Amino acid sequence: MREVVVTGGATGIGYAIAREFTQTGHRVTITGRREHVLKDAAQRLGARYVAFDAADPVAVEGALPLLPETVHVLVNNAGGNTDLDREAAGDLASVAEAWRANLEANLLSAVLVTTALLPRLGDRARIVNLGSIAARGTGSGSYGAAKAALESWTADLAAEVGRRRDATANLVAPGLVVDTEFFRGRLDDEGVRRRVEATRNGRAGTPQDIASTVAFLASPAAGHITGQVIHVNGGAHLGR
């Protein structure tokens, strides 16, 4: 039985990923900042939970005794567009603060958790980072830039873990996914329509679409796939 850690695993895409692994017989630990949400999700999933801020090095260090001693699959799902939680930046100080917030939430969180757990990776371990279509020039400012940086770091990570333990590291980049907290209720029907029109299969993505892709990358069948960006967006962006 493999040990799986999913950051940001209490809601949305993270929850769907954790559910995919629990339903296929893996031992799953979900993490996040909101303990009450994590506890409820863990009970429904039959998983363990550890509450901490993945972008805080002190918090990550403090959580290590509660995380599995061996990790076979690490899914860095924690993140989101922090600009949706703040007023529009005005002076340079607020611009810098806004950019740091997205970089910390989407890049530093993955770097810190992965670095902390590298000594615990089992042979042929799997690391899957969650990116975004926003990294490919579709906008979203500092959020898209942070996800682009995550793509670059994933390539370096693949080389590091591949030589060390025959492990893999890949990134899954979703397009529009409904039934998540991502847009904070700010995406209206017109916004959904425009994004769906950009796809080639005429529909929005679902958390299960992403979870199924992550599960494949974590499987033995994907052992020679590493350092890749896997686009899951219905063809709204073509990864070629």
Side-chain angles (χ1 to χ4, degrees), residues 27-115:
R27 264 196 301 260
V28 176
T29 302
I30 59 174
T31 80
R33 292 176 298 173
R34 298 176 294 173
E35 184 163 10
H36 66 289
V37 178
L38 278 169
K39 182 177 181 180
D40 177 65
Q43 288 176 340
R44 286 183 278 120
L45 290 165
R48 297 175 63 249
Y49 75 91
V50 183
F52 64 95
D53 182 352
D56 180 345
V58 175
V60 174
E61 191 76 37
L64 280 175
L66 302 174
L67 293 170
E69 285 299 316
T70 301
V71 177
H72 302 101
V73 180
L74 170 60
V75 182
N76 288 306
N77 169 75
N81 190 344
T82 57
D83 283 344
L84 297 175
D85 297 321
R86 63 173 64 240
E87 298 293 328
D91 59 16
L92 289 180
S94 61
V95 170
E97 183 181 352
W99 276 73
R100 288 192 188 103
N102 257 325
L103 286 167
E104 289 179 1
N106 294 287
L107 175 62
L108 189 61
S109 61
V111 171
L112 291 179
V113 173
T114 303
T115 303

Side-chain angles (χ1 to χ4, degrees), residues 15-237:
Y15 182 86
I17 292 168
R19 182 179 59 203
E20 179 76 18
F21 283 114
T22 58
Q23 289 179 343
T24 50
H26 299 80
R27 264 196 301 260
V28 176
T29 302
I30 59 174
T31 80
R33 292 176 298 173
R34 298 176 294 173
E35 184 163 10
H36 66 289
V37 178
L38 278 169
K39 182 177 181 180
D40 177 65
Q43 288 176 340
R44 286 183 278 120
L45 290 165
R48 297 175 63 249
Y49 75 91
V50 183
F52 64 95
D53 182 352
D56 180 345
V58 175
V60 174
E61 191 76 37
L64 280 175
L66 302 174
L67 293 170
E69 285 299 316
T70 301
V71 177
H72 302 101
V73 180
L74 170 60
V75 182
N76 288 306
N77 169 75
N81 190 344
T82 57
D83 283 344
L84 297 175
D85 297 321
R86 63 173 64 240
E87 298 293 328
D91 59 16
L92 289 180
S94 61
V95 170
E97 183 181 352
W99 276 73
R100 288 192 188 103
N102 257 325
L103 286 167
E104 289 179 1
N106 294 287
L107 175 62
L108 189 61
S109 61
V111 171
L112 291 179
V113 173
T114 303
T115 303
L117 292 179
L118 276 179
R120 303 186 183 188
L121 287 186
D123 292 339
R124 294 175 294 281
R126 303 285 189 260
I127 302 171
V128 183
N129 297 325
L130 267 291
S132 171
I133 193 173
R136 296 305 176 102
T138 61
S140 298
S142 59
Y143 171 71
K147 290 301 192 183
L150 186 62
E151 289 187 9
S152 178
W153 175 69
T154 301
D156 285 345
L157 180 63
E160 180 180 357
V161 301
R163 297 188 186 107
R164 186 193 263 182
R165 295 183 181 275
D166 192 23
T168 67
N170 292 288
L171 182 142
V172 174
L176 171 65
V177 176
V178 294
D179 299 328
T180 76
E181 298 177 343
F182 181 85
F183 289 102
R184 316 292 198 272
R186 299 183 190 181
L187 185 64
D188 59 17
D189 291 343
E190 175 60 19
V192 172
R193 185 193 64 78
R194 285 189 287 105
R195 288 166 173 80
V196 169
E197 279 189 351
T199 68
R200 283 162 170 77
N201 60 357
R203 71 170 177 87
T206 67
Q208 186 57 47
D209 289 325
I210 311 306
S212 297
T213 305
V214 171
F216 167 69
L217 291 173
S219 74
H224 201 47
I225 300 174
T226 193
Q228 303 301 310
V229 176
I230 310 299
H231 297 280
V232 187
N233 56 46
H237 169 80

